[in-house]
Amino acid sequence: MGNKMKQNKYWEILLKKHRDKGKDGLTIPFIIGSQNYLPNNSYKQNISELIYDIVSSNLFEICIRFCMGTNTFIAEIRKERNVCYFPKINNNEQNKLSVGIYHKNDFGESIKELIENLIEKFQNPIDNKTYSAEPNTNERTAKWNKFSAEDKIFIKECFK
């Protein structure tokens, strides 16, 4: 009896369905917050566990890049045109998680440094349960909000 959630990880489902809608990626807080809508799931991944899970995935490559639309970083199924580098894991090469090349100085050479920087950028919105990024063009940053009704519908549809 194949449980669909076991075959595809929640973040793979979200990113794929988001791409199917013709959209780019999702923020790390959005992905983390979506776990609150998983059926029968008491355990929730944190940023570090999510990143290590992505690195060990075998479905597709994920790219973390800056999104001009939301004024923050998103994770997306990598597009051909994304110019990226691959942070090393324990000094070894990996090819499942890439980062926009222009942000190498922001995120570092290793998965460990990447995680530390993602936690620094995104732990506060996650702790505040403000998972959804709204563009704040004046400040050139994201304004973090609770999930909208539209966000909740999208997430629940993904996990059906």
Side-chain angles (χ1 to χ4, degrees):
M1 305 231 197
N3 179 343
K4 201 172 176 190
M5 296 309 291
K6 290 268 187 272
Q7 293 165 347
N8 289 324
K9 297 175 176 166
Y10 74 97
W11 54 267
E12 292 170 333
I13 294 166
L14 280 172
L15 290 171
K16 174 120 182 41
K17 299 254 189 208
H18 202 59
R19 171 65 57 90
D20 292 347
K21 285 173 56 173
K23 304 209 175 187
D24 291 329
L26 297 166
T27 66
I28 300 292
F30 192 101
I31 295 169
I32 295 285
S34 75
Q35 296 175 94
N36 293 316
Y37 297 92
L38 282 170
N40 313 320
N41 185 31
S42 55
Y43 180 78
K44 303 213 178 1
Q45 286 183 323
N46 61 30
I47 293 173
S48 179
E49 292 162 329
L50 171 64
I51 297 303
Y52 280 114
D53 199 18
I54 290 170
V55 170
S56 66
S57 171
N58 58 8
L59 249 182
F60 37 66
E61 180 190 328
I62 300 298
C63 179
I64 294 177
R65 69 165 182 86
F66 193 79
C67 172
M68 300 302 271
T70 56
N71 283 315
T72 191
F73 289 90
I74 60 170
E76 70 178 358
I77 299 169
R78 184 174 177 199
K79 297 177 184 140
E80 287 286 317
R81 68 176 183 268
N82 291 77
V83 182
C84 305
Y85 76 99
F86 293 89
K88 291 185 176 178
I89 182 164
N90 303 325
N91 292 321
N92 295 311
E93 302 289 331
Q94 58 84 24
N95 65 359
K96 289 300 173 189
L97 179 65
S98 60
V99 177
I101 194 78
Y102 305 111
H103 300 288
K104 198 168 190 173
N105 291 341
D106 297 322
F107 290 120
E109 303 274 343
S110 72
I111 292 295
K112 187 176 181 292
E113 288 174 282
L114 172 68
I115 290 169
E116 288 167 4
N117 285 298
L118 289 172
I119 289 170
E120 191 176 303
K121 284 184 186 342
F122 295 130
Q123 195 60 56
N124 277 345
I126 291 168
D127 290 346
N128 294 332
K129 295 181 175 22
T130 52
Y131 306 116
S132 194
E134 177 187 310
N136 181 355
T137 47
N138 297 341
E139 301 288 323
R140 296 193 178 205
T141 58
K143 181 174 182 245
W144 295 97
N145 298 311
K146 299 202 179 299
F147 281 137
S148 67
E150 192 181 319
D151 292 335
K152 291 176 187 174
I153 290 166
F154 168 72
I155 295 166
K156 289 173 183 173
E157 285 294 312
C158 285
F159 296 153
K160 275 188 176 174

